[in-house]
Amino acid sequence: MTHPMDLIPAPLRVEGPYRRGFVLDRETTLYAAPGTGTTERWLRTTLGAAFALPLRDTADENAAHSIRLRIDDTLAPEAYRLHVLVDEVVEITGGGPAGVFWGAQTLRQLLGPDAYRKAPVRSAPVAGLAAQTIEDAPRFGWRGLLLDVSRHFMPKDDVLRYLDLLAAHKLNVFHFHLTDDQGWRIEIRRHPKLTEVGAWRARTKWGHRASPLWTETPHGGFYTQDDIREIVAYAAERHITVVPEIDLPGHAQAAIAAYPELGNTDVVDTAALTVWDTWGVNPNVLAPTEAVLRFYEGAFEEVLDLFPSTFVHVGGDECPKDQWKASPTAQARIEELGVGDEDGLQSWFIRHFDRWLAARGRRLIGWDEILEGGLAEGAAVSSWRGYAGGIAAAEAGHDVVMCPEQHVYLDHRQAPGEDEPMPIGYVRTLEDVYRFEPVPPGLSPEAAAHILGTQANVWTEVMENRSRVDYQVFPRLAAFAEVAWSALPAPEARDHAGFERRMRTHYRRLEALGVDHRPPAGPHPWQRRPGVLGRPLEGRPPNV
């Protein structure tokens, strides 16, 4: 049994615990009101498996010794109220299906780390709860994690596992970074070479791009359309929205390697390009032609069929303009369109797809570079280079997801010292992430209302497998989840010592889930990567 004060993320209000009120055992039944089916199924497949319990249906909403799932639409959609009553009943009431589901996540935490296993480890697999009431609701509607599967491919089952890890932390957006210079990861049936050619590279830089080391094993993989449907459906059962990212007009070498006509053929021999095998900002960008627009419209048509998300991410970042400056075709295009310069050309690209997506009932979101050259009305911004882009966008009336690299890029190292594997960027400790504030001070109330929420980003250049991703993401994702969900005081007033105390229980949950997290005392020997060059930056990161 877990004390309610060990919950992560921290709930709004807790009353109790008092004397024992509920025992989960073979006699426990499950009452599920209309609209609570996702939670009913989830409880059976998780708690039912962890404790080897049938959790039989009951049609009696007042049945004794039961878990009761209800909806009360006077609550906010993601809010919930969890009552543990002294008469052997647990009631989870949500404002909507998602609220019921988040309440069930809290119930799982209360039942102890054994509730995170896939089969029982005790001879008498029962768990008891004290009578208590928990009332809770999220601070932000967008609580996200970006996972880059382009730099290093993550097999489908590992993606499904990460969706479970998001759900366990009450995160509700999975930003799926599917295309980049180093690999195209989603099947597009009308353009089959995107995966036949673009999903595979012959070798891979091992470490930072300045490292002399290479991994000579070919690397790649992609998700079939049925894989994507499965991932999206699995996420939906957990009240997680999957936001796809198809990068343009930069980060496009894998696509150009598959279809050389997509590149700037008048200044570079695009037919000689291969899927990129190293890291950094790539000069090979899309040509600003009508043919390229039609090609990507065709790709997006298939993407929209697979992803019901209102938001579709188009990247828009790190697009070097050198090829456009040298290209007679691009220069003629600038003059023909009257967009002034190469920044205007990038804005034209983004505006085109903003209109195209809006006409189909979707909304474009892109990295903060899409502000350059003017932002299309209705577009939203992922603010990654710091707060500044998000502040400018919000003050101009655009919706914003705050994900500044100085605070919540989880590929950045989490401690100083020689043992951190392939150290990238500034040190961002568990405490640093816990003190991250998504809404910068000084933002007007009107602009602050445009902050949809926040997101942690996981770029996988130096994360070659699931274990490495686990190490970089955890435990910091637990701190981020609390920032995104809980009503915390100002950063300097946050009770980090109390959070660390609660983490002692949470580490046991992560270990039961098989998460290869970074231990508080530093990496295990097998988590280190001695001799592999990273790019550590010293000092405090700039607050920009």
Side-chain angles (χ1 to χ4, degrees):
M1 180 174 114
T2 297
H3 194 281
M5 292 298 99
D6 287 341
L7 295 173
I8 289 177
L12 274 175
R13 280 179 294 280
V14 177
E15 292 180 18
Y18 308 111
R19 60 193 174 91
R20 172 161 292 205
F22 176 80
V23 175
L24 179 71
D25 61 20
R26 296 194 65 80
E27 305 309 313
T28 304
T29 58
L30 185 56
Y31 169 77
T36 65
T38 53
T39 302
E40 178 188 16
R41 290 187 289 274
W42 182 85
L43 284 170
R44 283 216 175 83
T45 55
T46 53
L47 297 189
F51 296 108
L53 300 177
L55 294 177
R56 286 182 292 272
D57 276 327
T58 177
D60 179 4
E61 63 178 305
N62 299 309
H65 204 64
S66 67
I67 299 171
R68 302 171 184 168
L69 309 177
R70 310 181 194 275
I71 288 178
D72 174 357
D73 60 12
T74 65
L75 300 174
E78 288 194 286
Y80 69 88
R81 186 169 54 244
L82 188 153
H83 282 310
V84 182
L85 306 174
V86 293
D87 57 352
E88 295 287 339
V89 167
V90 173
E91 285 188 350
I92 301 173
T93 304
V100 179
F101 184 72
W102 303 132
Q105 296 295 334
T106 296
L107 173 63
R108 189 189 196 187
Q109 289 201 16
L110 291 172
L111 290 169
D114 284 353
Y116 289 81
R117 298 192 178 273
K118 293 186 184 297
V121 293
R122 311 283 167 228
S123 57
V126 296
L129 290 180
Q132 57 196 289
T133 298
I134 297 171
E135 295 182 341
D136 204 5
R139 179 184 178 192
F140 292 110
W142 185 302
R143 307 180 302 279
L145 178 80
L146 175 144
L147 185 61
D148 164 21
V149 295
S150 183
R151 275 50 177 270
H152 279 101
F153 180 67
M154 185 171 277
K156 180 195 70 180
D157 282 356
D158 289 343
V159 174
L160 299 178
R161 172 179 176 267
Y162 256 82
L163 292 170
D164 280 329
L165 291 171
L166 263 64
H169 292 83
K170 299 187 174 76
L171 298 173
N172 68 345
V173 176
F174 180 62
H175 179 158
F176 209 6
H177 183 79
L178 288 162
T179 75
D180 217 298
D181 301 300
Q182 295 86 0
W184 184 287
R185 304 288 177 225
I186 177 172
E187 177 190 23
I188 302 295
R189 288 174 178 165
R190 74 189 72 187
H191 304 312
K193 287 193 287 187
L194 286 172
T195 46
E196 290 170 3
V197 174
W200 310 93
R201 59 180 183 260
R203 63 175 188 166
T204 300
K205 175 62 70 172
W206 181 233
H208 182 258
R209 62 180 174 272
S211 165
L213 304 176
W214 294 86
T215 300
E216 296 295 339
T217 305
H219 179 85
F222 67 93
Y223 309 101
T224 67
Q225 295 202 354
D226 280 347
D227 290 338
I228 294 290
R229 289 186 182 95
E230 181 183 356
I231 288 166
V232 169
Y234 195 87
E237 278 282 298
R238 286 147 184 79
H239 300 277
I240 295 168
T241 298
V242 183
V243 176
E245 182 179 355
I246 305 295
D247 226 324
L248 61 85
H251 288 287
Q253 183 160 322
I256 296 168
Y259 292 95
E261 64 272 20
L262 297 176
N264 295 283
T265 56
D266 53 350
V267 292
V268 65
D269 179 11
T270 56
L273 294 176
T274 59
V275 176
W276 212 25
D277 56 13
T278 189
W279 321 122
V281 178
N282 188 301
N284 294 298
V285 303
L286 297 175
T289 67
E290 290 296 318
V292 168
L293 295 185
R294 300 293 88 76
F295 181 97
Y296 272 81
E297 286 170 359
F300 275 116
E301 282 179 10
E302 297 190 28
V303 168
L304 297 193
D305 283 343
L306 296 167
F307 294 93
S309 165
T310 299
F311 285 100
V312 176
H313 209 291
V314 300
D317 63 315
E318 296 180 330
C319 179
K321 311 297 192 295
D322 299 346
Q323 290 183 0
W324 288 350
K325 288 176 181 174
S327 162
T329 301
Q331 292 303 309
R333 196 72 161 142
I334 289 170
E335 187 169 344
E336 174 196 346
L337 295 168
V339 295
D341 59 13
E342 292 77 20
D343 281 348
L345 201 55
Q346 173 159 339
S347 179
W348 166 80
F349 250 111
I350 300 301
R351 284 173 179 268
H352 174 85
F353 284 100
D354 178 74
R355 290 191 301 271
W356 189 91
L357 288 165
R360 289 154 181 81
R362 306 300 183 97
R363 289 185 65 190
L364 178 144
I365 185 168
W367 303 111
D368 54 58
E369 286 96 329
I370 70 173
L371 291 162
E372 296 163 7
L375 185 56
E377 186 180 348
V381 169
S382 302
S383 188
W384 76 274
R385 291 180 294 181
Y387 287 113
I391 292 169
E395 294 285 6
H398 293 282
D399 288 340
V400 174
V401 175
M402 281 293 186
C403 49
E405 63 170 329
Q406 302 84 357
H407 301 275
V408 289
Y409 268 37
L410 300 185
D411 45 311
H412 289 194
R413 61 194 176 129
Q414 48 202 319
E418 298 290 313
D419 290 338
E420 292 304 310
M422 300 191 210
I424 300 294
Y426 295 100
V427 172
R428 292 284 83 191
T429 65
L430 183 66
E431 180 174 359
D432 290 329
V433 175
Y434 190 64
R435 297 192 190 280
F436 164 59
E437 174 48 52
V439 180
L443 207 58
S444 71
E446 296 79 14
H450 283 287
I451 307 295
L452 298 175
T454 184
Q455 180 173 291
N457 293 345
V458 182
W459 303 102
T460 60
E461 288 93 338
V462 297
M463 290 180 238
E464 72 279 11
N465 56 34
R466 185 180 96 176
S467 179
R468 276 287 291 125
V469 174
D470 278 3
Y471 180 89
Q472 292 299 131
V473 171
F474 290 99
R476 291 183 295 180
L477 192 70
F480 173 80
E482 184 148 311
V483 168
W485 177 278
S486 303
L488 296 178
E492 62 278 3
R494 291 177 189 169
D495 180 10
H496 179 253
F499 175 75
E500 282 197 314
R501 179 190 58 74
R502 287 182 284 130
M503 280 300 299
R504 289 200 289 271
T505 299
H506 201 65
Y507 284 120
R508 293 171 59 209
R509 298 180 191 124
L510 295 177
E511 284 151 14
L513 285 165
V515 174
D516 202 8
H517 65 82
R518 182 187 188 274
H524 295 298
W526 61 85
Q527 293 174 318
R528 302 167 189 164
R529 296 291 185 277
V532 182
L533 189 66
R535 183 176 174 260
L537 300 174
E538 301 303 329
R540 297 287 296 175
N543 195 22
V544 293

